Amino acid sequence: MAADLAPVFRAAAEAVAGAQALVVTAGAGMGVDSGLPDFRGDTGFWRAYPLYQRLGISFVDAANPEHFEHDPAFGWGFYGHRTNLYRATVPHAGFALLRDWAARYGLDLFVATSNVDGQFQKAGFPEQAVLEFHGSIHHLQCTGPCCDRIWDNREAFRIDEETMRADHVPLCPRCGRAARPNILMFGDYAWIGDRTQRQQEHFRQFLSRHLGRRITVVELGAGTAIPTVRAASERIGSLSGARVIRINPREPQIRQPHLSLPCGAVEGLSGIERMLRLAAT
């Protein structure tokens, strides 16, 4: 732990230990310590998917619903590969620390994330306490869509990494058209947001229950390029009694009295944990 960060870690530990409710907000940087690729800019995306660089396809181009209309095997090349990757990924130790803090200090806990990887649920966070702003790769919908149905992604994919095409295309059980992930993509015109809207309502009820109480927000790996998570953290941080701990190695800036830790998720959470243990001895 850098000596100059010790006071911030100490203040963050005090905010966690003194909280009455804990909100975890997370962006793509949360998964980096689990080994998930960093899609920051085209360079980060192409490092993970070099074929797309040769084809001149950016992350915005790949994460586009039009592929499922015109060439669904190519669309599923990207999303099938990510499905396999997320299923194989083991959540890092920081997830367990967050759950432990909630249990240790008797905190009501809610997660709000822009990630579509399902890592919080995989790490044992209850489904009813997770908001996925952009949907989940572990759920499917009709490309049309012909109806509002959302169902579990139980598909197995083999991806030809020379062409980034999937060996098969999941189909809508109602109309037989290609199915797609229930994810809000770039330029999306057909995303079914019903599942996320229900999660939004659960989150609204959580915040209403704790209005005026000491809410500590731990924000992890949320950048400014797509500011959904940072904006949510700051909205909660504007409430009376709320405080935000922003953990981000590249863009940690936040106004006082909120706290800024310029480090990765595991380093930041582990540093807070060390201060919590020191305070308890």
Side-chain angles (χ1 to χ4, degrees):
M1 185 194 309
D4 57 342
L5 287 181
V8 187
F9 278 116
R10 190 175 300 110
E14 290 170 358
V16 171
Q20 294 173 298
L22 180 64
V23 175
V24 178
T25 58
M30 180 62 170
V32 170
D33 287 332
S34 297
L36 293 174
D38 182 357
F39 289 167
R40 182 182 173 86
D42 288 343
T43 302
F45 174 65
W46 288 335
R47 189 180 300 117
Y49 294 101
L51 174 70
Y52 290 133
Q53 182 175 18
R54 297 198 295 273
L55 295 175
I57 293 175
S58 68
F59 175 54
V60 173
D61 297 329
N64 190 306
E66 289 191 0
H67 294 303
F68 295 97
E69 288 278 359
H70 305 301
D71 191 356
F74 188 73
W76 274 111
F78 180 49
Y79 281 100
H81 187 279
R82 290 175 69 188
T83 298
N84 294 339
L85 176 64
Y86 297 151
R87 286 172 177 168
T89 298
V90 177
H92 60 67
F95 289 90
L97 281 177
L98 292 164
R99 287 184 58 213
D100 182 61
W101 294 347
R104 191 187 313 171
Y105 299 107
L107 305 177
D108 202 3
L109 169 67
F110 210 102
V111 173
T113 180
S114 60
N115 299 334
V116 301
D117 53 27
Q119 292 294 294
F120 279 98
Q121 292 93 327
K122 195 172 187 179
F125 289 76
E127 179 73 34
Q128 66 272 19
V130 177
L131 163 59
E132 294 157 305
F133 289 112
H134 300 156
S136 169
I137 205 166
H138 304 294
H139 293 81
L140 304 180
Q141 65 166 84
C142 178
T143 296
C146 69
C147 61
D148 292 337
R149 182 178 175 188
I150 299 169
W151 65 96
D152 291 346
N153 180 3
R154 302 186 184 279
E155 303 287 334
F157 298 97
R158 287 194 300 274
I159 310 300
D160 182 342
E161 296 193 15
E162 293 300 313
T163 62
M164 286 306 292
R165 298 179 70 83
D167 64 333
H168 79 285
V169 173
L171 301 178
C172 172
R174 185 174 184 272
C175 72
R177 292 182 65 174
R180 50 162 277 188
N182 182 233
I183 290 173
L184 179 61
M185 303 179 198
F186 293 100
D188 210 332
Y189 44 81
W191 180 55
I192 300 171
D194 295 6
R195 179 174 175 271
T196 293
Q197 288 170 10
R198 290 191 295 271
Q199 293 176 335
Q200 288 270 21
E201 178 58 21
H202 295 158
F203 191 35
R204 187 197 66 76
Q205 292 173 5
F206 173 94
L207 293 174
S208 293
R209 288 198 305 271
H210 295 289
L211 198 61
R213 306 183 78 202
R214 294 188 302 277
I215 302 174
T216 293
V217 180
V218 180
E219 180 192 283
L220 299 138
T224 57
I226 302 176
T228 308
V229 172
R230 290 170 78 98
S233 300
E234 290 167 13
R235 280 197 304 273
I236 300 166
S238 69
L239 299 173
S240 175
R243 200 168 192 193
V244 179
I245 304 165
R246 173 164 286 160
I247 301 174
N248 191 305
R250 299 189 188 100
E251 300 170 305
Q253 302 81 7
I254 193 168
R255 293 180 180 178
Q256 294 182 345
H258 306 301
L259 301 168
S260 169
L261 284 168
C263 54
V266 169
E267 181 183 355
L269 296 172
S270 298
I272 296 170
E273 173 65 8
R274 282 193 290 273
M275 288 299 183
L276 288 169
R277 291 188 179 276
L278 279 173
T281 57

